[in-house]
């Protein structure tokens, strides 16, 4: 079913505004997507009618909020097809989810001389926590290299897996290039040597159906705000067998003192990893975002985005001196490019003046830029509410950029 | 010419443009006409941190005045640093330290001062003032 994008855009009031006197065009969706009314309404509804601390008081509102919060856990679990609800840990986002695993898994399982494998495509959020863990535990970080198209070199990965490897942590989709990694095969390869795998799903979840059982990943992390949900909330999915063995990440002792009944629950999954008052409102907002995506259906979203991507590549490909960075065979709707004779920062500044929001720079993936030996790129990352007309406007704007600088 | 006078000069030049596009074209022109630096001066130690484009700033102290030269690999950034040089170079350190650089706001480049802008105009100014401060301290010794 083709989506009615014009209708859909009405769900995103923020899109309907002018910037520097021009209609806003938002192509920075990999940084964060906008939120549909249903998500914003859910937040309002919670604060107007349900706000209360959860898992504590026996009063009406607290029970209502607790139920809503635990229902959201169910919704998220079924969204990614997690076998158990208690395998869903709510976090502040992808970054916190990865840090949780790096810290807790690291403490328990990473020993001096061990190795952790990441890839050259990672966002800093999936590099730095592992650097810290490796440094603390005297372990070594190994990096899967990429080829000129921006794809992981799998033969190298295979060679890296050995008896010292304690964990593999890779991104499902590259935020800077849009490369979709063959994570299923990579997980199988690691599992054949009994090595667990963490997947950074921040850039995958908004674009494709994720089934953690089919992938058979051990951990999967994502952020609410990149999938049409609120900021400040995210998810760590972890297999029960690992989560059970891992020590808590943060302590919330005062909670235990206050309500003795709580003490037991605190030690169980998922509460063991959710110290302190959780971000109930935003969890409910994220649940609304899950429902929004489920209603549109991932295959429809992907079909629309693929059409946009092909259209953009075709139109932009006509420019002189344009260089696309990342040409993976399997990719999401991200176009990273630069003009050979114009600094991406200059391009981005003029696009901004023309009301077009793109990201310029290294996109928190400096090693990727170093590999291609470029100062950064201009990244247009497309979402379900973007249109071909907007891409036409981008093309016109880029013509202006070339006039000004070339 | 004093810093304030130079600022006024730039403000009146920019008053000619009522369109942002003309203004940016002018900044780009200014950027293109800045002599820039020789390759050997494009060193790590001259790089200004926190800029999305690379900016090198080289200070010298001559006859009681600070002389700046600079370069950048992005033209808009180069144009902006060229404006700063026009105002602040060949001035006594004391005056550089105390300059309020009101012209940035007056010519409509204030948006480049916000923290989210990674072109680092703020960092450029900070670095220029730091160099001036260092020269001032040396002078007083
Ligand atoms: C691939 C990837 N991983 C991790 C993150 C970090 O996500 P957050 O800042 O929401 O924690 C991002 C965000 O840009 C990302 O693109």
């Amino acid at each position: 079913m083709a989506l009615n994008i014009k209708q859909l855009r009405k769900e995103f009031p923020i899109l309907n505004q002018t910037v520097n006197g021009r209609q806003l065009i938002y192509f920075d969706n990999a940084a964060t997507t906008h939120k549909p009314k249903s998500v914003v309404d859910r937040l309002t509804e919670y604060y107007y009618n349900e706000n209360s601390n959860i898992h504590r008081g026996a009063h009406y509102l607290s029970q209502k909020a607790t139920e809503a919060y635990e229902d959201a856990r169910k919704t998220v679990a079924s969204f990614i097809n997690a076998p158990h609800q208690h395998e869903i840990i709510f976090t502040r986002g992808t970054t916190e989810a990865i840090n949780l695993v790096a810290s807790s898994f690291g403490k328990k399982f990473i020993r001096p001389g061990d190795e952790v494998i990441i890839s050259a495509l990672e966002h800093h959020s999936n590099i730095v926590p592992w650097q810290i863990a490796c440094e603390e535990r005297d372990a070594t970080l190994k990096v899967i290299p990429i080829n000129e198209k921006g794809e992981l070199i799998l033969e190298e990965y295979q060679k890296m897996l050995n008896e010292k490897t304690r964990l593999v942590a890779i991104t499902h989709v590259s935020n800077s290039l849009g490369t979709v990694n063959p994570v299923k095969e990579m997980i199988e390869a690691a599992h054949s040597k009994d090595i667990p795998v963490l997947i950074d799903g921040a850039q995958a979840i908004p674009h494709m159906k994720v089934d953690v059982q089919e992938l058979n990943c051990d951990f999967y992390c994502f952020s609410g705000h990149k999938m049409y949900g609120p900021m400040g909330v995210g998810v760590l999915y972890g297999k029960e067998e690992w989560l059970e063995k891992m020590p808590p990440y943060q302590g919330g002792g005062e909670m235990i003192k206050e309500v003795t009944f709580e003490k037991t629950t605190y030690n169980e999954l998922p509460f063991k990893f959710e110290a302190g008052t959780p971000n109930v409102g935003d969890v409910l907002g994220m649940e609304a975002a899950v429902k929004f995506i489920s209603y549109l259906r991932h295959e429809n979203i992907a079909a629309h985005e693929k059409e946009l991507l092909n259209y953009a590549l075709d139109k932009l490909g006509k420019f002189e001196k344009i260089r696309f960075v990342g040409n993976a065979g399997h990719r999401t709707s991200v176009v990273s490019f630069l003009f050979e004779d114009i600094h991406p920062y200059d391009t981005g500044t003029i696009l901004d003046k023309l009301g077009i929001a793109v990201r310029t720079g290294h996109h928190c993936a400096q090693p990727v830029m170093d590999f291609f030996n470029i100062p950064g790129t201009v990244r247009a990352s497309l979402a379900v509410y973007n249109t071909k007309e907007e891409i036409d406007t981008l093309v016109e704007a880029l013509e202006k950029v070339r006039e000004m600088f070339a | 010419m004093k810093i304030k006078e130079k600022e006024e000069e730039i403000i009146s030049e920019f008053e000619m443009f009522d369109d942002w596009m003309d203004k940016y074209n002018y900044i780009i022109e200014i950027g293109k006409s800045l002599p820039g630096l020789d390759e050997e001066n494009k060193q790590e130690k001259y790089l200004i941190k926190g800029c999305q484009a690379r900016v090198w700033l080289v200070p010298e102290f001559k006859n009681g005045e600070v002389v700046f030269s600079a370069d950048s690999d992005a033209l808009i950034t180069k144009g902006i640093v060229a404006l700063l040089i026009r105002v602040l170079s060949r001035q006594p350190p004391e005056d550089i330290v105390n300059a309020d650089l009101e012209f940035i706001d007056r010519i409509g480049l204030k948006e480049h001062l916000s923290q989210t802008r990674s072109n680092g105009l703020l960092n450029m100014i900070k670095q220029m003032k730091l160099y001036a401060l260092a020269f001032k301290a040396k002078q007083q010794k």
Side-chain angles (χ1 to χ4, degrees):
Chain A
M1 178 194 79
L3 298 169
N4 181 343
I5 303 302
K6 207 167 157 201
Q7 199 59 32
L8 182 71
R9 286 176 70 88
K10 294 194 182 138
E11 296 301 311
F12 293 86
I14 197 171
L15 295 173
N16 189 20
Q17 66 177 289
T18 54
V19 174
N20 299 320
R22 286 159 196 270
Q23 170 62 41
L24 164 72
I25 293 182
Y26 189 79
F27 284 158
D28 195 17
N29 295 289
T32 197
T33 58
H34 291 310
K35 328 301 173 197
K37 278 184 194 158
S38 59
V39 168
V40 182
D41 287 348
R42 186 66 192 92
L43 293 174
T44 313
E45 166 71 14
Y46 172 72
Y47 287 110
Y48 278 178
N49 296 314
E50 295 155 281
N51 175 52
S52 197
N53 213 325
I54 59 166
H55 299 132
R56 303 191 187 188
H59 60 79
Y60 172 77
L61 275 187
S62 173
Q63 280 176 5
K64 197 167 161 179
T66 305
E67 245 168 61
Y69 183 77
E70 291 307 325
D71 277 349
R73 205 189 298 278
K74 265 186 231 164
T75 308
V76 170
S78 91
F79 180 56
I80 58 170
N81 196 27
H84 309 290
Q85 286 162 47
H86 59 255
E87 294 175 314
I88 302 295
I89 314 287
F90 289 121
T91 65
R92 273 199 304 127
T94 308
T95 304
E96 192 181 52
I98 296 171
N99 274 280
L100 189 161
V101 178
S103 167
S104 289
F105 180 95
K107 262 185 214 139
K108 180 89 180 211
F109 296 106
I110 302 177
R111 303 260 168 276
D114 283 353
E115 295 175 357
V116 172
I117 297 178
I118 61 169
S119 91
L121 283 179
E122 301 311 314
H123 185 279
H124 295 166
S125 289
N126 200 29
I127 301 176
V128 186
W130 303 112
Q131 281 174 332
I132 294 173
C134 285
E135 202 163 296
E136 273 175 8
R137 322 214 57 83
D138 245 332
T140 312
L141 199 59
K142 296 277 173 180
V143 184
I144 311 164
I146 51 176
N147 64 22
E148 281 295 325
K149 287 163 115 182
E151 298 165 330
L152 297 182
I153 304 175
L154 295 179
E155 302 80 69
E156 296 295 323
Y157 168 61
Q158 293 286 358
K159 280 188 235 159
M160 280 178 188
L161 294 166
N162 65 44
E163 68 287 348
K164 285 185 285 184
T165 314
R166 220 36 68 222
L167 184 100
V168 175
I170 41 170
T171 194
H172 198 163
V173 173
S174 149
N175 71 307
S176 54
L177 310 179
T179 311
V180 180
N181 291 323
V183 288
K184 190 162 186 236
E185 288 95 294
M186 296 177 77
I187 292 165
E188 265 167 30
H191 282 177
S192 72
K193 299 196 165 138
D194 289 328
I195 302 162
V197 181
L198 174 142
I199 304 292
D200 172 352
Q203 297 293 348
I205 279 278
H207 304 292
M208 62 187 71
K209 176 82 194 137
V210 170
D211 180 331
V212 293
Q213 293 192 63
E214 195 205 324
L215 290 178
N216 200 14
C217 53
D218 300 272
F219 302 99
Y220 198 95
C221 313
F222 57 97
S223 298
H225 72 97
K226 292 182 195 285
M227 48 167 282
Y228 308 103
M231 286 187 172
V233 65
V235 171
L236 166 66
Y237 156 80
K239 277 187 185 165
E240 182 180 17
E241 52 176 298
W242 288 113
L243 294 178
E244 286 291 4
K245 286 180 204 151
M246 283 157 49
Y249 175 49
Q250 292 173 330
E254 70 279 13
M255 249 168 62
I256 299 167
K257 234 186 273 162
E258 239 174 33
V259 188
T260 37
F261 181 67
E262 291 294 307
K263 194 179 170 188
T264 32
T265 49
Y266 179 72
N267 284 322
E268 279 173 18
L269 287 177
F271 310 111
K272 178 169 113 181
F273 291 109
E274 289 181 4
T277 298
N279 187 354
V280 182
D282 289 324
V283 163
L284 301 182
M286 181 165 62
E287 182 188 32
V290 165
K291 288 179 175 166
F292 172 77
I293 291 177
S294 306
Y295 172 73
L296 295 182
R297 303 180 69 86
H298 259 124
E299 59 261 38
N300 296 328
I301 296 174
H304 176 65
E305 290 177 348
K306 183 158 191 223
E307 201 177 319
L308 289 180
L309 173 71
N310 290 338
Y311 188 76
L313 289 176
D314 180 49
K315 291 276 167 171
L316 296 180
K318 298 203 164 78
F319 275 100
E320 243 183 283
K321 304 217 164 152
I322 198 162
R323 173 174 172 198
F324 292 110
V325 183
N327 293 297
H330 192 188
R331 65 195 283 188
T332 56
S333 48
V334 168
V335 186
S336 232
F337 67 95
L338 68 166
F339 290 121
E340 278 158 17
D341 50 349
I342 306 173
H343 195 282
Y345 178 76
D346 284 331
T347 308
T349 304
I350 300 304
L351 291 184
D352 171 52
K353 282 279 163 195
L354 292 166
I356 302 176
V358 292
R359 177 95 179 258
T360 62
H362 56 58
H363 319 297
C364 292
Q366 232 161 323
V368 178
M369 302 302 131
D370 292 346
F371 173 81
F372 290 105
N373 196 21
I374 49 176
T377 70
V378 178
R379 181 187 69 184
S381 51
L382 314 172
V384 68
Y385 40 66
N386 288 126
T387 65
K388 286 185 184 169
E389 290 73 33
E390 289 179 312
I391 293 168
D392 290 337
T393 310
L394 171 68
V395 169
E396 282 164 32
L398 288 172
E399 278 162 7
K400 252 189 202 128
V401 169
R402 288 214 60 81
E403 258 169 52
M404 290 176 83
F405 293 96
Chain B
M1 231 192 281
K2 291 249 187 240
I3 288 179
K4 265 282 161 241
E5 290 163 6
K6 291 196 175 175
E7 288 193 52
E8 285 305 327
E9 204 179 74
I10 293 175
I11 291 165
S12 58
E13 280 170 23
F14 272 79
E15 268 167 3
M16 296 189 302
F17 310 119
D18 40 31
D19 181 353
W20 69 265
M21 191 90 134
D22 294 336
K23 198 155 72 186
Y24 273 77
N25 274 324
Y26 187 54
I27 294 171
I28 293 164
E29 280 316 308
I30 296 171
K32 281 183 184 160
S33 57
L34 183 75
L37 295 171
D38 296 335
E39 284 307 312
E40 73 251 30
N41 269 326
K42 292 187 180 174
Q43 294 171 28
E44 183 79 28
K45 66 173 177 184
Y46 294 130
L47 270 180
I48 295 180
K49 302 262 172 335
C51 302
Q52 217 181 75
R54 290 186 297 174
V55 186
W56 297 267
L57 178 72
V58 181
E60 287 169 281
F61 198 44
K62 282 186 194 156
N63 312 322
E65 290 176 347
V66 187
V67 181
F68 290 112
S69 38
D71 209 339
S72 172
D73 47 13
L75 271 178
I76 294 176
T77 313
K78 201 170 164 195
I80 288 172
V81 79
L83 285 173
L84 287 178
I85 286 184
R86 201 169 137 194
V87 172
L88 296 180
S89 190
R90 300 190 184 280
Q91 298 291 342
E94 172 96 30
D95 293 3
I96 297 172
V97 173
N98 294 328
D100 63 8
L101 301 175
E102 198 202 0
F103 81 101
I104 293 169
D105 193 2
R106 298 268 302 275
I107 65 174
L109 287 185
K110 196 175 169 197
E111 61 195 45
H112 289 271
L113 283 174
S114 88
Q115 292 289 355
T116 61
R117 289 278 162 173
S118 23
N119 81 353
L121 177 53
L122 274 180
N123 293 336
M124 291 181 213
I125 297 171
K126 200 164 120 197
Q127 192 59 48
M128 289 172 122
K129 291 195 171 210
L130 274 177
Y131 281 132
L133 205 59
F135 288 129
K136 190 178 149 196
K138 232 187 240 168
Q139 215 176 11
Q140 283 164 347
K141 255 200 261 169

